[in-house]
Amino acid sequence: MKKIKRKLAVLLLTLASLLVWLPLLLLLSAALMPEDELLWRYLSPLGIGKAPVRAALLPSYPSLEAFTELLIRSPGFFVMFWNSCIQTFPMLLGQLLIGAPAAWAFARLKFPGRRGIFALYVLLMVLPFQVTQVSNYLVLDCLGLLNSHLALILPGIWSTFPVFIMTRSFEAVPGALLEAAYLDGAGELQAFFLVGLPAGYPGIVTAMVLSFIDAWNALEQPVAYLKDMSLWPLSLYLPEIVSDKAAVAFAAGIVMMLPPVLLYLNGEGELEQGLAASGVKE
Amino acid sequence: MKNCLGKMERRRKRQGQSRITAGCFLAPSLCGVLLFQALPFLDVVRRSFLDAMGRSFVGMANYAAVWGNEAFRMAAKNTLYFFAAAVPALYLVSLALSLLVYRPGAGQRLFKTSLVLPMVLPAAAMALVWRILFCPDGLWNQLLYAFTGKPWEQDWVHGKAAFPILVSTYLWKNIGYDMLLWLAGLSAIPQSLYDAARVDGAGEPAQLRYITLPCLQGTMGLVLVLSVVNSFRVYREAYLLAGSYPDLSIYMLPHLFSHWFLTLDIQKMSTAAVFLVLASLPAWGFGRWLRRSGKEG
């Protein structure tokens, strides 16, 4: 009886995993097709003609043609890739440098208004982008930042979600560890750097991974704040590339998903721990 | 006496010092949050009561205008439908999958990684695959043809059927994240509870009903709030699949906001934003209540 149940569970999970892997395989195989095979199979989805889709999980004539075309002969793709990097990484660095000390203050220091200010952070965290879109636009206009990378970077640095995640994991740092540090004569700064950061590491990684995924896929913000197409990130450029250079569209999709996938696979354990700290405690 | 006073003095001094430290830790974050997040939000509330020029107070006129606006009504209705269809499904399926994954066994790691993977895949890249599947000449129609024997020419992305497709892609993307949250909740339940229940002769359904679900109450609140918050992000999928003028059945509030933004219709946007915040308060309150009562229990 138990064995049957176990087998049923494995079967269900296999089916669910197939729903994840099959679309991915479809994408990967399309990325490895030479142009003529691609046009024969996927004319309709690429929007350049009408013919029944002839889907394949393996290319008949595997080739890296699309990747070399994309990486060597598509300067536009490179510009957009760098735009994505420029808009993402400084923002993450800022979130870390400014957010981590704030999270430490919320989790471990006593000051008047702590609960109230934290509640404000949580409220701002759950507001959808569209709520403050127009006012943010006016603020950025005032500062003369519209239509520049900074229009995405600066508001992103002060997103309150990473602070929330890091606060939760700093709260989970055992108090005894800190007391020992204070007894040994550590000041607040030393306690933060030598005890807090190492012990709250999973939360920091979680915040960074989730922020990265969000920023890498950003769509609402660049649509609203960047008029100049040469500033667009990959997430906006990819739909354009389909009509522009259909043969490399799938390869571009694969290259775009590599950084977040690698990051996730590397930080998987920390992500689980960090989310656990955020979810279980209130 | 003197000694005692000295102690109090020192304590006060230390307290003052720790306030200064806290200020130094918090200030860089708080200033930016106020400038880029809190002030814009207050500004939105203020503008919802002002006229188009942002000068004179017009009372509830904007609210009446937005409430009577046909596009707003349609978008709000569609957004509600989307919540009603997607959030319960997301909730139940992710919980069921987490219960399946949580049992230790062969391949558990692989299953977990596979199911979480969609969360990190860029929507822009996956939109290409969804087109292969759901365009009129696509794979899905071919499968339906194989099963029903009738030719299918349905455009699943631009036609009336866009709604279920959008719900499906949303589920596909978000189930992994919710599953991780459920798993975190599950791993916090002490194993001794289950051992005791087994000794008392409780079967698996009873254990689920009397141990697992009550212990997950705190997580339920969190997942609910995050699901509602994240469901606004479905705009990304909707935009990448169907552009900014999709079939009317998936024309939702974010579409409306982005159209009003193009014409810089500031007072309408501000008013609709306030409506939106008010409308999400019940979910927020309910989630908070769940978490609170879960903590006590």
Side-chain angles (χ1 to χ4, degrees):
Chain A
M1 186 61 195
K2 227 176 178 172
K3 253 193 174 158
I4 297 175
K5 252 191 200 159
R6 182 67 221 160
K7 276 196 178 135
L8 197 67
V10 169
L11 183 73
L12 281 174
L13 285 172
T14 311
L15 284 178
S17 306
L18 277 181
L19 283 181
V20 173
W21 285 109
L22 289 180
L24 265 184
L25 214 56
L26 215 54
L27 182 66
L28 186 64
S29 82
L32 291 174
M33 283 174 192
E35 190 168 357
D36 38 357
E37 188 185 352
L38 203 61
L39 293 181
W40 181 69
R41 288 190 189 278
Y42 297 134
L43 205 59
S44 237
L46 288 171
I48 33 186
K50 241 187 111 45
V53 163
R54 302 178 179 91
L57 290 177
L58 286 173
S60 315
Y61 305 98
S63 98
L64 291 174
E65 198 184 287
F67 283 97
T68 49
E69 175 75 26
L70 180 75
L71 297 177
I72 295 171
R73 279 191 292 272
S74 311
F77 178 78
F78 255 110
V79 174
M80 305 302 162
F81 193 87
W82 281 119
N83 283 345
S84 276
C85 292
I86 293 171
Q87 288 160 14
T88 306
F89 289 106
M91 191 193 88
L92 290 183
L93 190 68
Q95 286 180 348
L96 184 65
L97 292 180
I98 293 174
W104 183 253
F106 282 128
R108 289 293 172 185
L109 301 177
K110 286 196 182 68
F111 55 94
R114 186 175 65 104
R115 290 177 63 98
I117 301 176
F118 190 66
L120 174 73
Y121 271 54
V122 175
L123 171 76
L124 293 171
M125 170 179 103
V126 299
L127 288 184
F129 167 74
Q130 284 83 3
V131 167
T132 50
Q133 183 179 9
V134 93
S135 296
N136 241 325
Y137 179 85
L138 298 174
V139 169
L140 292 170
D141 193 25
C142 248
L143 299 173
L145 295 175
L146 280 178
N147 212 14
S148 76
H149 290 307
L150 283 177
L152 303 191
I153 298 172
L154 282 184
I157 286 179
W158 283 284
S159 146
T160 54
F161 182 64
V163 179
F164 172 79
I165 295 276
M166 289 190 275
T167 302
R168 288 290 181 240
S169 75
F170 284 145
E171 276 170 355
V173 174
L177 213 60
L178 276 171
E179 259 158 50
Y182 288 130
L183 276 182
D184 287 345
E188 298 289 357
L189 268 182
Q190 279 164 315
F192 172 58
F193 279 109
L194 299 178
V195 180
L197 285 184
Y201 179 72
I204 296 172
V205 173
T206 305
M208 293 295 105
V209 170
L210 293 179
S211 278
F212 176 84
I213 293 169
D214 198 42
W216 195 254
N217 291 320
L219 196 106
E220 298 91 337
Q221 294 89 334
V223 167
Y225 302 146
L226 301 178
K227 288 233 155 51
D228 197 346
M229 243 183 110
S230 66
L231 294 174
W232 279 11
L234 263 189
S235 45
L236 272 187
Y237 178 63
L238 214 60
E240 298 291 318
I241 213 176
V242 177
S243 48
D244 211 35
K245 243 185 183 183
V248 299
F250 293 97
I254 293 288
V255 174
M256 185 186 176
M257 67 175 56
L258 275 181
V261 168
L262 292 178
L263 199 66
Y264 163 65
L265 291 179
N266 264 312
E268 203 186 356
E270 282 86 2
L271 191 70
E272 276 166 37
Q273 282 178 48
L275 282 181
S278 81
V280 177
K281 281 192 58 144
E282 160 77 323
Chain B
M1 189 64 191
K2 209 172 180 188
N3 198 359
C4 182
L5 270 178
K7 232 183 208 167
M8 270 173 71
E9 187 110 301
R10 242 179 297 154
R11 183 179 295 165
R12 200 172 299 143
K13 208 168 167 191
R14 204 162 10 147
Q15 212 173 31
Q17 252 173 4
S18 94
R19 278 185 190 181
I20 293 171
T21 332
C24 294
F25 273 80
L26 186 62
S29 171
L30 188 59
C31 293
V33 167
L34 288 178
L35 177 63
F36 286 110
Q37 313 245 1
L39 283 182
F41 179 57
L42 288 180
D43 187 53
V44 162
V45 178
R46 187 180 67 94
R47 278 175 194 278
S48 72
F49 294 107
L50 298 178
D51 68 349
M53 302 302 292
R55 293 224 182 85
S56 55
F57 180 77
V58 294
M60 302 305 280
N62 289 329
Y63 287 86
V66 167
W67 188 250
N69 185 301
E70 223 163 285
F72 176 77
R73 289 194 161 214
M74 182 181 65
K77 196 184 73 187
N78 287 338
T79 310
L80 273 180
Y81 281 165
F82 182 80
F83 280 155
V87 173
L90 179 65
Y91 216 72
L92 292 177
V93 177
S94 60
L95 177 60
L97 283 174
S98 72
L99 288 171
L100 289 178
V101 169
Y102 190 60
R103 296 152 179 268
Q108 187 213 21
R109 239 300 25 108
L110 181 67
F111 285 134
K112 201 194 305 183
T113 308
S114 308
L115 294 174
V116 177
L117 202 55
M119 169 181 117
V120 307
L121 299 176
M126 292 318 293
L128 293 166
V129 181
W130 304 143
R131 255 183 254 169
I132 295 182
L133 282 168
F134 299 121
C135 74
D137 301 311
L139 211 50
W140 185 243
N141 278 337
Q142 293 174 10
L143 279 178
L144 286 174
Y145 175 62
F147 277 110
T148 61
K150 295 188 296 211
W152 285 75
E153 286 278 310
Q154 178 87 35
D155 188 338
W156 294 93
V157 171
H158 297 286
K160 280 257 168 294
F163 187 80
I165 295 303
L166 192 65
V167 173
S168 313
T169 55
Y170 172 77
L171 291 178
W172 190 83
K173 191 171 178 63
N174 287 287
I175 274 177
Y177 184 60
D178 283 15
M179 195 186 78
L180 280 183
L181 294 172
W182 290 121
L183 282 173
L186 283 173
S187 65
I189 304 176
Q191 188 60 39
S192 56
L193 286 180
Y194 292 105
D195 294 339
R198 224 167 287 134
V199 169
D200 290 343
E204 278 194 18
Q207 289 176 25
L208 181 69
R209 165 75 184 78
Y210 293 105
I211 301 176
T212 311
L213 291 182
C215 285
L216 282 179
Q217 210 181 343
T219 313
M220 286 180 187
L222 183 79
V223 177
L224 179 71
V225 171
L226 288 180
S227 299
V228 172
V229 171
N230 276 337
S231 53
F232 250 71
R233 300 244 170 100
V234 79
Y235 176 65
R236 290 179 182 175
E237 271 86 16
Y239 176 86
L240 290 167
L241 274 176
S244 48
Y245 293 93
D247 183 72
L248 290 184
S249 67
I250 57 166
Y251 187 88
M252 290 194 265
L253 284 173
H255 292 97
L256 182 68
F257 272 99
S258 76
H259 288 157
W260 280 347
F261 184 73
L262 282 182
T263 52
L264 270 185
D265 213 331
I266 295 179
Q267 87 271 33
K268 268 201 200 121
M269 281 185 81
S270 308
T271 313
V274 175
F275 268 128
L276 191 67
V277 172
L278 290 178
S280 56
L281 280 181
W284 169 248
F286 183 63
R288 207 175 161 73
W289 174 79
L290 264 181
R291 299 193 67 183
R292 277 286 149 85
S293 57
K295 197 177 59 169
E296 279 157 23

PDB file of all heavy atoms in Angstrom, chain B residues 3-25:
ATOM      1  N   ASN B   3      26.659  56.018  43.176  1.00  0.00           N
ATOM      2  CA  ASN B   3      26.949  54.908  42.287  1.00  0.00           C
ATOM      3  C   ASN B   3      25.765  54.604  41.385  1.00  0.00           C
ATOM      4  O   ASN B   3      25.880  54.420  40.169  1.00  0.00           O
ATOM      5  CB  ASN B   3      27.284  53.682  43.152  1.00  0.00           C
ATOM      6  CG  ASN B   3      28.010  52.654  42.331  1.00  0.00           C
ATOM      7  OD1 ASN B   3      28.225  52.886  41.149  1.00  0.00           O
ATOM      8  ND2 ASN B   3      28.367  51.558  42.960  1.00  0.00           N
ATOM      9  N   CYS B   4      24.564  54.592  42.048  1.00  0.00           N
ATOM     10  CA  CYS B   4      23.340  54.265  41.318  1.00  0.00           C
ATOM     11  C   CYS B   4      23.081  55.285  40.222  1.00  0.00           C
ATOM     12  O   CYS B   4      22.762  54.951  39.089  1.00  0.00           O
ATOM     13  CB  CYS B   4      22.181  54.237  42.308  1.00  0.00           C
ATOM     14  SG  CYS B   4      20.631  53.788  41.571  1.00  0.00           S
ATOM     15  N   LEU B   5      23.242  56.570  40.566  1.00  0.00           N
ATOM     16  CA  LEU B   5      23.039  57.628  39.575  1.00  0.00           C
ATOM     17  C   LEU B   5      23.984  57.440  38.396  1.00  0.00           C
ATOM     18  O   LEU B   5      23.607  57.561  37.230  1.00  0.00           O
ATOM     19  CB  LEU B   5      23.277  58.996  40.214  1.00  0.00           C
ATOM     20  CG  LEU B   5      22.042  59.637  40.831  1.00  0.00           C
ATOM     21  CD1 LEU B   5      22.408  60.960  41.475  1.00  0.00           C
ATOM     22  CD2 LEU B   5      20.956  59.819  39.785  1.00  0.00           C
ATOM     23  N   GLY B   6      25.216  57.101  38.751  1.00  0.00           N
ATOM     24  CA  GLY B   6      26.216  56.888  37.697  1.00  0.00           C
ATOM     25  C   GLY B   6      25.778  55.782  36.743  1.00  0.00           C
ATOM     26  O   GLY B   6      25.904  55.924  35.529  1.00  0.00           O
ATOM     27  N   LYS B   7      25.200  54.735  37.336  1.00  0.00           N
ATOM     28  CA  LYS B   7      24.757  53.618  36.510  1.00  0.00           C
ATOM     29  C   LYS B   7      23.670  54.064  35.534  1.00  0.00           C
ATOM     30  O   LYS B   7      23.694  53.759  34.345  1.00  0.00           O
ATOM     31  CB  LYS B   7      24.202  52.519  37.416  1.00  0.00           C
ATOM     32  CG  LYS B   7      24.820  51.164  37.140  1.00  0.00           C
ATOM     33  CD  LYS B   7      24.151  50.153  38.021  1.00  0.00           C
ATOM     34  CE  LYS B   7      25.093  49.003  38.338  1.00  0.00           C
ATOM     35  NZ  LYS B   7      24.581  48.180  39.430  1.00  0.00           N
ATOM     36  N   MET B   8      22.705  54.859  36.133  1.00  0.00           N
ATOM     37  CA  MET B   8      21.601  55.303  35.281  1.00  0.00           C
ATOM     38  C   MET B   8      22.121  56.184  34.157  1.00  0.00           C
ATOM     39  O   MET B   8      21.694  56.085  33.011  1.00  0.00           O
ATOM     40  CB  MET B   8      20.570  56.075  36.111  1.00  0.00           C
ATOM     41  CG  MET B   8      19.508  55.157  36.688  1.00  0.00           C
ATOM     42  SD  MET B   8      18.440  56.023  37.804  1.00  0.00           S
ATOM     43  CE  MET B   8      17.524  57.048  36.671  1.00  0.00           C
ATOM     44  N   GLU B   9      23.056  57.041  34.534  1.00  0.00           N
ATOM     45  CA  GLU B   9      23.647  57.948  33.542  1.00  0.00           C
ATOM     46  C   GLU B   9      24.269  57.140  32.418  1.00  0.00           C
ATOM     47  O   GLU B   9      24.060  57.395  31.242  1.00  0.00           O
ATOM     48  CB  GLU B   9      24.735  58.773  34.227  1.00  0.00           C
ATOM     49  CG  GLU B   9      25.287  59.848  33.331  1.00  0.00           C
ATOM     50  CD  GLU B   9      24.842  61.215  33.824  1.00  0.00           C
ATOM     51  OE1 GLU B   9      23.626  61.445  33.909  1.00  0.00           O
ATOM     52  OE2 GLU B   9      25.716  62.020  34.139  1.00  0.00           O
ATOM     53  N   ARG B  10      25.019  56.111  32.835  1.00  0.00           N
ATOM     54  CA  ARG B  10      25.723  55.312  31.840  1.00  0.00           C
ATOM     55  C   ARG B  10      24.715  54.600  30.923  1.00  0.00           C
ATOM     56  O   ARG B  10      24.891  54.507  29.731  1.00  0.00           O
ATOM     57  CB  ARG B  10      26.626  54.278  32.531  1.00  0.00           C
ATOM     58  CG  ARG B  10      28.103  54.508  32.179  1.00  0.00           C
ATOM     59  CD  ARG B  10      28.987  53.520  32.884  1.00  0.00           C
ATOM     60  NE  ARG B  10      28.904  53.695  34.327  1.00  0.00           N
ATOM     61  CZ  ARG B  10      29.144  52.714  35.203  1.00  0.00           C
ATOM     62  NH1 ARG B  10      29.480  51.513  34.775  1.00  0.00           N
ATOM     63  NH2 ARG B  10      29.064  52.926  36.504  1.00  0.00           N
ATOM     64  N   ARG B  11      23.640  54.105  31.594  1.00  0.00           N
ATOM     65  CA  ARG B  11      22.656  53.385  30.785  1.00  0.00           C
ATOM     66  C   ARG B  11      22.028  54.334  29.764  1.00  0.00           C
ATOM     67  O   ARG B  11      21.864  53.999  28.598  1.00  0.00           O
ATOM     68  CB  ARG B  11      21.576  52.788  31.687  1.00  0.00           C
ATOM     69  CG  ARG B  11      20.591  51.966  30.870  1.00  0.00           C
ATOM     70  CD  ARG B  11      19.530  51.345  31.735  1.00  0.00           C
ATOM     71  NE  ARG B  11      20.062  50.366  32.662  1.00  0.00           N
ATOM     72  CZ  ARG B  11      19.389  49.897  33.709  1.00  0.00           C
ATOM     73  NH1 ARG B  11      18.180  50.347  33.939  1.00  0.00           N
ATOM     74  NH2 ARG B  11      19.907  49.008  34.509  1.00  0.00           N
ATOM     75  N   ARG B  12      21.708  55.563  30.269  1.00  0.00           N
ATOM     76  CA  ARG B  12      21.088  56.511  29.350  1.00  0.00           C
ATOM     77  C   ARG B  12      22.034  56.806  28.186  1.00  0.00           C
ATOM     78  O   ARG B  12      21.642  56.903  27.046  1.00  0.00           O
ATOM     79  CB  ARG B  12      20.738  57.790  30.101  1.00  0.00           C
ATOM     80  CG  ARG B  12      19.671  58.587  29.360  1.00  0.00           C
ATOM     81  CD  ARG B  12      19.170  59.748  30.187  1.00  0.00           C
ATOM     82  NE  ARG B  12      18.548  59.348  31.430  1.00  0.00           N
ATOM     83  CZ  ARG B  12      18.672  60.047  32.571  1.00  0.00           C
ATOM     84  NH1 ARG B  12      19.424  61.129  32.607  1.00  0.00           N
ATOM     85  NH2 ARG B  12      18.070  59.638  33.667  1.00  0.00           N
ATOM     86  N   LYS B  13      23.304  56.930  28.541  1.00  0.00           N
ATOM     87  CA  LYS B  13      24.305  57.250  27.540  1.00  0.00           C
ATOM     88  C   LYS B  13      24.360  56.125  26.489  1.00  0.00           C
ATOM     89  O   LYS B  13      24.380  56.351  25.287  1.00  0.00           O
ATOM     90  CB  LYS B  13      25.671  57.394  28.203  1.00  0.00           C
ATOM     91  CG  LYS B  13      26.578  58.349  27.448  1.00  0.00           C
ATOM     92  CD  LYS B  13      27.789  58.667  28.295  1.00  0.00           C
ATOM     93  CE  LYS B  13      28.838  59.351  27.465  1.00  0.00           C
ATOM     94  NZ  LYS B  13      30.103  59.431  28.195  1.00  0.00           N
ATOM     95  N   ARG B  14      24.331  54.873  27.040  1.00  0.00           N
ATOM     96  CA  ARG B  14      24.427  53.745  26.123  1.00  0.00           C
ATOM     97  C   ARG B  14      23.207  53.710  25.192  1.00  0.00           C
ATOM     98  O   ARG B  14      23.293  53.470  24.009  1.00  0.00           O
ATOM     99  CB  ARG B  14      24.524  52.442  26.904  1.00  0.00           C
ATOM    100  CG  ARG B  14      25.192  51.373  26.072  1.00  0.00           C
ATOM    101  CD  ARG B  14      25.703  50.238  26.913  1.00  0.00           C
ATOM    102  NE  ARG B  14      25.242  50.319  28.281  1.00  0.00           N
ATOM    103  CZ  ARG B  14      24.979  49.243  29.036  1.00  0.00           C
ATOM    104  NH1 ARG B  14      25.123  48.055  28.551  1.00  0.00           N
ATOM    105  NH2 ARG B  14      24.585  49.353  30.260  1.00  0.00           N
ATOM    106  N   GLN B  15      22.029  54.017  25.822  1.00  0.00           N
ATOM    107  CA  GLN B  15      20.815  54.016  25.020  1.00  0.00           C
ATOM    108  C   GLN B  15      20.917  55.066  23.916  1.00  0.00           C
ATOM    109  O   GLN B  15      20.607  54.804  22.757  1.00  0.00           O
ATOM    110  CB  GLN B  15      19.619  54.319  25.915  1.00  0.00           C
ATOM    111  CG  GLN B  15      18.365  53.632  25.453  1.00  0.00           C
ATOM    112  CD  GLN B  15      17.259  53.818  26.464  1.00  0.00           C
ATOM    113  OE1 GLN B  15      17.196  54.844  27.151  1.00  0.00           O
ATOM    114  NE2 GLN B  15      16.382  52.854  26.551  1.00  0.00           N
ATOM    115  N   GLY B  16      21.410  56.252  24.291  1.00  0.00           N
ATOM    116  CA  GLY B  16      21.567  57.307  23.300  1.00  0.00           C
ATOM    117  C   GLY B  16      22.493  56.874  22.194  1.00  0.00           C
ATOM    118  O   GLY B  16      22.209  57.068  21.013  1.00  0.00           O
ATOM    119  N   GLN B  17      23.584  56.226  22.620  1.00  0.00           N
ATOM    120  CA  GLN B  17      24.547  55.773  21.619  1.00  0.00           C
ATOM    121  C   GLN B  17      23.925  54.770  20.663  1.00  0.00           C
ATOM    122  O   GLN B  17      24.124  54.849  19.461  1.00  0.00           O
ATOM    123  CB  GLN B  17      25.740  55.123  22.316  1.00  0.00           C
ATOM    124  CG  GLN B  17      26.959  55.983  22.236  1.00  0.00           C
ATOM    125  CD  GLN B  17      28.066  55.398  23.083  1.00  0.00           C
ATOM    126  OE1 GLN B  17      27.931  54.324  23.656  1.00  0.00           O
ATOM    127  NE2 GLN B  17      29.174  56.092  23.156  1.00  0.00           N
ATOM    128  N   SER B  18      23.134  53.837  21.243  1.00  0.00           N
ATOM    129  CA  SER B  18      22.581  52.808  20.369  1.00  0.00           C
ATOM    130  C   SER B  18      21.566  53.417  19.416  1.00  0.00           C
ATOM    131  O   SER B  18      21.403  52.950  18.295  1.00  0.00           O
ATOM    132  CB  SER B  18      21.980  51.667  21.190  1.00  0.00           C
ATOM    133  OG  SER B  18      20.616  51.872  21.369  1.00  0.00           O
ATOM    134  N   ARG B  19      20.888  54.506  19.887  1.00  0.00           N
ATOM    135  CA  ARG B  19      19.983  55.186  18.955  1.00  0.00           C
ATOM    136  C   ARG B  19      20.758  55.811  17.806  1.00  0.00           C
ATOM    137  O   ARG B  19      20.324  55.767  16.657  1.00  0.00           O
ATOM    138  CB  ARG B  19      19.218  56.288  19.674  1.00  0.00           C
ATOM    139  CG  ARG B  19      18.032  55.748  20.402  1.00  0.00           C
ATOM    140  CD  ARG B  19      17.226  56.853  20.989  1.00  0.00           C
ATOM    141  NE  ARG B  19      16.239  56.283  21.873  1.00  0.00           N
ATOM    142  CZ  ARG B  19      15.358  57.007  22.541  1.00  0.00           C
ATOM    143  NH1 ARG B  19      15.380  58.320  22.431  1.00  0.00           N
ATOM    144  NH2 ARG B  19      14.485  56.431  23.310  1.00  0.00           N
ATOM    145  N   ILE B  20      21.906  56.381  18.137  1.00  0.00           N
ATOM    146  CA  ILE B  20      22.716  56.988  17.073  1.00  0.00           C
ATOM    147  C   ILE B  20      23.178  55.914  16.090  1.00  0.00           C
ATOM    148  O   ILE B  20      23.102  56.092  14.872  1.00  0.00           O
ATOM    149  CB  ILE B  20      23.919  57.733  17.688  1.00  0.00           C
ATOM    150  CG1 ILE B  20      23.403  58.935  18.474  1.00  0.00           C
ATOM    151  CG2 ILE B  20      24.874  58.195  16.601  1.00  0.00           C
ATOM    152  CD1 ILE B  20      24.445  59.626  19.285  1.00  0.00           C
ATOM    153  N   THR B  21      23.642  54.779  16.638  1.00  0.00           N
ATOM    154  CA  THR B  21      24.070  53.693  15.743  1.00  0.00           C
ATOM    155  C   THR B  21      22.911  53.267  14.852  1.00  0.00           C
ATOM    156  O   THR B  21      23.073  53.117  13.642  1.00  0.00           O
ATOM    157  CB  THR B  21      24.495  52.456  16.556  1.00  0.00           C
ATOM    158  OG1 THR B  21      24.971  52.879  17.812  1.00  0.00           O
ATOM    159  CG2 THR B  21      25.523  51.660  15.824  1.00  0.00           C
ATOM    160  N   ALA B  22      21.739  53.057  15.473  1.00  0.00           N
ATOM    161  CA  ALA B  22      20.581  52.614  14.688  1.00  0.00           C
ATOM    162  C   ALA B  22      20.287  53.620  13.591  1.00  0.00           C
ATOM    163  O   ALA B  22      20.011  53.245  12.441  1.00  0.00           O
ATOM    164  CB  ALA B  22      19.370  52.436  15.598  1.00  0.00           C
ATOM    165  N   GLY B  23      20.377  54.902  13.939  1.00  0.00           N
ATOM    166  CA  GLY B  23      20.130  55.941  12.941  1.00  0.00           C
ATOM    167  C   GLY B  23      21.096  55.825  11.778  1.00  0.00           C
ATOM    168  O   GLY B  23      20.703  55.911  10.614  1.00  0.00           O
ATOM    169  N   CYS B  24      22.382  55.599  12.096  1.00  0.00           N
ATOM    170  CA  CYS B  24      23.387  55.492  11.034  1.00  0.00           C
ATOM    171  C   CYS B  24      23.109  54.290  10.142  1.00  0.00           C
ATOM    172  O   CYS B  24      23.306  54.345   8.929  1.00  0.00           O
ATOM    173  CB  CYS B  24      24.781  55.359  11.624  1.00  0.00           C
ATOM    174  SG  CYS B  24      25.305  56.830  12.484  1.00  0.00           S
ATOM    175  N   PHE B  25      22.660  53.197  10.757  1.00  0.00           N
ATOM    176  CA  PHE B  25      22.375  51.993   9.966  1.00  0.00           C
ATOM    177  C   PHE B  25      21.157  52.214   9.059  1.00  0.00           C
ATOM    178  O   PHE B  25      21.112  51.750   7.925  1.00  0.00           O
ATOM    179  CB  PHE B  25      22.092  50.793  10.890  1.00  0.00           C
ATOM    180  CG  PHE B  25      23.316  50.043  11.309  1.00  0.00           C
ATOM    181  CD1 PHE B  25      24.114  50.518  12.334  1.00  0.00           C
ATOM    182  CD2 PHE B  25      23.672  48.862  10.692  1.00  0.00           C
ATOM    183  CE1 PHE B  25      25.244  49.832  12.736  1.00  0.00           C
ATOM    184  CE2 PHE B  25      24.804  48.161  11.074  1.00  0.00           C
ATOM    185  CZ  PHE B  25      25.593  48.649  12.099  1.00  0.00           C
TER     186      PHE B  25
END
